[in-house]
Amino acid sequence: MTTSLTTGAVLAPLALLCADAGAFSPHEPLVRQRADPHVTLHTDGWYYFTATVPEYDRIELRRAKVLDELGAAPAKAVWRRHASGPMSANIWAPELHRINGKWYLYFTAGRADAPLDVRLYVLENAATNPLEGTWTERGRIDTGWESFSLDATTFELRGQRYLAWTQRPPTAEQHVTGIYIAKMRSPLALDGPATLLTLPEYAWEKVKFDVNEAPAVLVRNGKVFLTYSASATDANYSLGMLTAGEGANLLDKAAWTKSPVPVLASGGGQYGPGHNSFTTTPDGKQDIIVYHARDYRDIPGNELNDPNRHTRARSIRWKVNGMPDFSAPPTD
């Protein structure tokens, strides 16, 4: 048996799990000093990559035909923060999505006079190649109330587009973040009220800070898997997961089951794994989780000032019950 990196979890025998595939090394970073990574394998055969840069001042894009070549690919800054006002500080967590023939960048931004008063914003580009053309600011996403909000992702299921994101609940008396979901009527706007899917409740979600953030969605085996990150962004950072049936009402909190233990945590020389996205090998046969983690546990000062959250990837192994295993130690 293989023991998971998460507390108390035991994984199915590797013989019952699919074999690893894909041209990348799970031991070495894909891209150094890039946090909150998002990878899109487009129909043109290119992997498009964006992530939070250590300076928190711009959005970069790069692309490669092979996942392991993203680190050497030239990065292009397609948008920079404003000098003041909205979108002038803490440019975090960009995600690149192709929707209805256009490219969209969803990202988080604060203000120079209030860096942590962050909100969700969108850029749009009609070019075929997102490294070309013009990125137009399309404004802020209105989530229905004003509070600390970040880390938006979008996905489509059975003809309906959804937005999932992180926000402080409107009635919270202390700082805490949860994961919300809502339908979208367009790539720029929600369609109806949001549903709160999860708040921190377990000890591993409350180390230093009460945090559930950075949702990412994978649909496989008749199920919808929503991963999220928990606790402070140091070695305590880890991935949790919610699971719902593919045919369920995703706006019904009761349709989701929450894992009581993290599905990926520090171990194997990687510390603080989190804020992931999902992609596949070029043939679509092997699912891959892309995430960030550091090479060391101890961080002097504020962990957000440490630039060494590196983008990493590993193949996802699937258990016989159709559930993903993100945490098996890499064996490639």
Side-chain angles (χ1 to χ4, degrees), residues 92-221:
W92 293 341
E95 287 202 6
L96 178 69
H97 294 269
R98 182 75 169 177
I99 305 171
N100 299 333
K102 295 182 180 180
W103 291 101
Y104 293 88
L105 274 166
Y106 297 85
F107 67 102
T108 302
R111 308 190 316 272
D113 62 332
L116 292 178
D117 192 19
V118 292
R119 298 292 188 273
L120 305 174
Y121 296 89
V122 189
L123 306 176
E124 182 184 79
N125 188 344
T128 301
N129 179 354
L131 280 77
E132 300 173 351
T134 299
W135 283 97
T136 302
E137 295 175 4
R138 297 304 304 270
R140 219 179 83 190
I141 295 179
D142 181 3
T143 63
W145 71 99
E146 284 291 324
S147 69
F148 180 91
S149 48
L150 66 163
D151 297 346
T153 191
T154 183
F155 66 99
E156 185 175 314
L157 182 64
R158 299 190 172 189
Q160 175 63 58
R161 181 159 294 280
Y162 297 87
L163 189 79
W165 72 97
T166 307
Q167 192 159 2
R168 176 174 172 165
T171 59
E173 296 181 355
Q174 61 184 17
H175 187 68
V176 59
T177 57
I179 304 297
Y180 289 83
I181 191 171
K183 292 181 179 179
M184 302 188 81
R185 67 171 180 266
S186 77
L188 307 173
L190 303 186
D191 184 14
T195 296
L196 174 62
L197 294 183
T198 176
L199 284 171
E201 55 184 303
Y202 299 111
W204 56 271
E205 298 176 294
K206 299 181 176 184
V207 184
K208 295 186 179 180
F209 303 104
D210 290 4
V211 170
N212 282 179
E213 65 181 14
V217 174
L218 177 64
V219 181
R220 291 289 184 273
N221 304 328

Side-chain angles (χ1 to χ4, degrees), residues 26 51 98 195 200 226 281 300 303:
R98 182 75 169 177
T195 296
L226 188 152
T281 48
E303 56 262 25

